[in-house]
Amino acid sequence: MAIYLAPMQGVFNAHFRKVAAQHFSGIDKCFTPFITTHGEDVYPERAFRELSVETDIPTIPQVMGNHAERLLILCRKLQDSGAREINLNLGCPQGTATSRKMGSGMLPHPEMLDEILDNLFSHLSVKLSVKTRLGLYETEEFEQIVPVLNKYPLYEVIIHPRTGKQMYRGETDREAYKLYASQLKAPVVYNGDINRWYDPMALEGTVMIGRGFACNPFLAESIVARKPVFDKGRLEIFLEALLEEYSQAYTGGEKQILMKMKELWEYLYLAFPETPKLAKTFKKCQNMKTYTSIVQSLF
């Protein structure tokens, strides 16, 4: 059993992962938010910024694109920079991606995925994994994806059992997950709506957690311990360390730092169910003085 941290855009940035690794345990591997392919060979430094911050937890770069040669160029750069595994995003549900046949928008086009995987496996020595949904419109789309994935020696297949059009609405289709997982040759990892330590999927095998960890950074520890873990004092120390890390890393001033902390509190407020309207309180917060006052009142 292992626990992976999902690539939540904005929230689980490199600095968050660095500080979280210092204050919480249970996470075995992290994935970066996706790096998107460009039309040229030159990539700006910011494209690889997520990999420049050192952390104690192995970090896997995730890539997203719809062009076999451009993805190969990007993956070669990552391989040359020392990456031992690269993850291909087939799950992003955002319309800006799906409309261009990227992320989950590629799932109705198995021939495109086949071309991409063939090109990557023909020219790279690094381990390759994929993170996918079950389809863009219908879970049945995955029936055409399984044979393509089974053609290649994928290191892992991480499945979020929703369609792209669902975004994060409705229930995850765990029965469909089990059906397709049984048909795949590669090891399969479950991802989606793991919010409690006693979730059967978390207790049965390797899982990826995302929003559940943002709401409760002790979730991975609780899964490992098989009992609830929560330490308010440790959480306070973590938040202080994260604020300090952001203060050192971001030079855009108070508003930028406040925005980064508020992104986390869009989820973390759920750790304080005894404080009504906390989410709205943070949303209205406009300066660091007010933010500090709110946090101090919680602890």
Side-chain angles (χ1 to χ4, degrees):
M1 186 188 84
I3 302 173
Y4 300 164
L5 187 64
M8 279 182 67
Q9 197 81 27
V11 182
F12 294 161
N13 57 71
H15 299 289
F16 175 92
R17 298 194 305 270
K18 171 186 173 182
V19 178
Q22 296 168 350
H23 292 267
F24 307 106
S25 64
I27 297 294
D28 298 288
K29 189 160 66 173
C30 297
F31 290 75
T32 72
F34 57 76
I35 305 169
T36 308
T37 54
H38 289 260
E40 64 282 339
D41 291 2
V42 179
Y43 279 79
E45 184 180 337
R46 66 177 181 275
F48 302 99
R49 191 175 296 159
E50 284 291 323
L51 295 168
S52 65
V53 179
E54 293 187 9
T55 176
D56 294 334
I57 302 176
T59 302
I60 310 304
Q62 185 183 79
V63 299
M64 185 172 75
N66 59 8
H67 190 281
E69 286 302 318
R70 292 174 185 172
L71 272 169
L72 179 59
I73 291 170
L74 173 56
C75 289
R76 271 182 171 153
K77 289 180 180 295
L78 291 168
Q79 179 177 273
D80 293 344
S81 70
R84 296 182 179 181
E85 177 188 343
I86 297 172
N87 183 261
L88 176 63
N89 183 312
L90 301 177
C92 179
Q94 298 299 328
T96 51
T98 60
S99 63
R100 291 182 289 165
K101 299 180 182 178
M102 296 196 299
S104 60
M106 192 183 296
L107 296 175
H109 308 282
E111 71 288 344
M112 180 183 292
L113 175 60
D114 196 7
E115 179 188 1
I116 286 170
L117 291 178
D118 180 66
N119 202 38
L120 295 181
F121 275 101
S122 296
H123 297 93
L124 298 173
S125 58
V126 68
K127 296 175 182 175
L128 291 170
S129 60
V130 301
K131 184 178 187 299
T132 183
R133 292 198 174 211
L134 292 180
L136 177 59
Y137 302 102
E138 304 289 342
T139 59
E140 288 76 14
E141 293 169 31
F142 207 70
E143 292 177 5
Q144 298 179 35
I145 297 296
V146 170
V148 177
L149 298 181
N150 281 343
K151 286 177 63 175
Y152 302 96
L154 288 162
Y155 181 64
E156 285 179 326
V157 177
I158 303 166
I159 299 177
H160 180 123
R162 283 188 175 94
T163 64
K165 290 304 179 182
Q166 276 184 275
M167 300 293 285
Y168 296 94
R169 299 183 296 269
E171 298 284 334
T172 54
D173 192 340
R174 297 191 174 196
E175 291 306 311
Y177 166 84
K178 292 176 182 177
L179 172 65
Y180 292 122
S182 68
Q183 298 174 15
L184 289 167
K185 293 180 180 179
V188 183
V189 177
Y190 178 83
N191 167 232
D193 290 1
I194 295 181
N195 303 311
R196 300 289 185 268
W197 68 267
Y198 48 82
D199 189 299
M201 303 303 290
L203 299 178
E204 291 173 3
T206 298
V207 294
M208 173 180 278
I209 58 177
R211 289 176 294 163
F213 187 83
C215 298
N216 173 17
F218 295 96
L219 179 58
E221 291 185 27
S222 299
I223 293 171
V224 172
R226 300 205 169 201
K227 64 180 181 181
V229 177
F230 190 84
D231 186 326
K232 208 171 181 180
R234 281 174 57 196
L235 181 58
E236 181 181 16
I237 294 170
F238 161 72
L239 289 169
E240 291 172 353
L242 184 61
L243 179 58
E244 177 62 24
E245 175 74 13
Y246 284 161
S247 299
Q248 297 294 325
Y250 296 112
T251 58
E254 178 182 288
K255 287 187 177 181
Q256 185 182 21
I257 298 166
L258 177 62
M259 179 189 71
K260 299 307 298 181
M261 296 303 296
K262 287 173 66 175
E263 283 179 334
L264 174 59
W265 278 104
E266 288 179 17
Y267 301 90
L268 189 57
Y269 79 92
L270 290 170
F272 298 85
E274 72 282 359
T275 307
K277 301 182 180 179
L278 184 58
K280 186 177 293 185
T281 301
F282 274 111
K283 192 171 184 178
K284 290 181 177 179
C285 177
Q286 297 298 318
N287 57 69
M288 287 305 303
K289 182 178 179 181
T290 303
Y291 170 84
T292 302
S293 177
I294 297 169
V295 174
Q296 287 178 344
S297 70
L298 291 174
F299 294 99

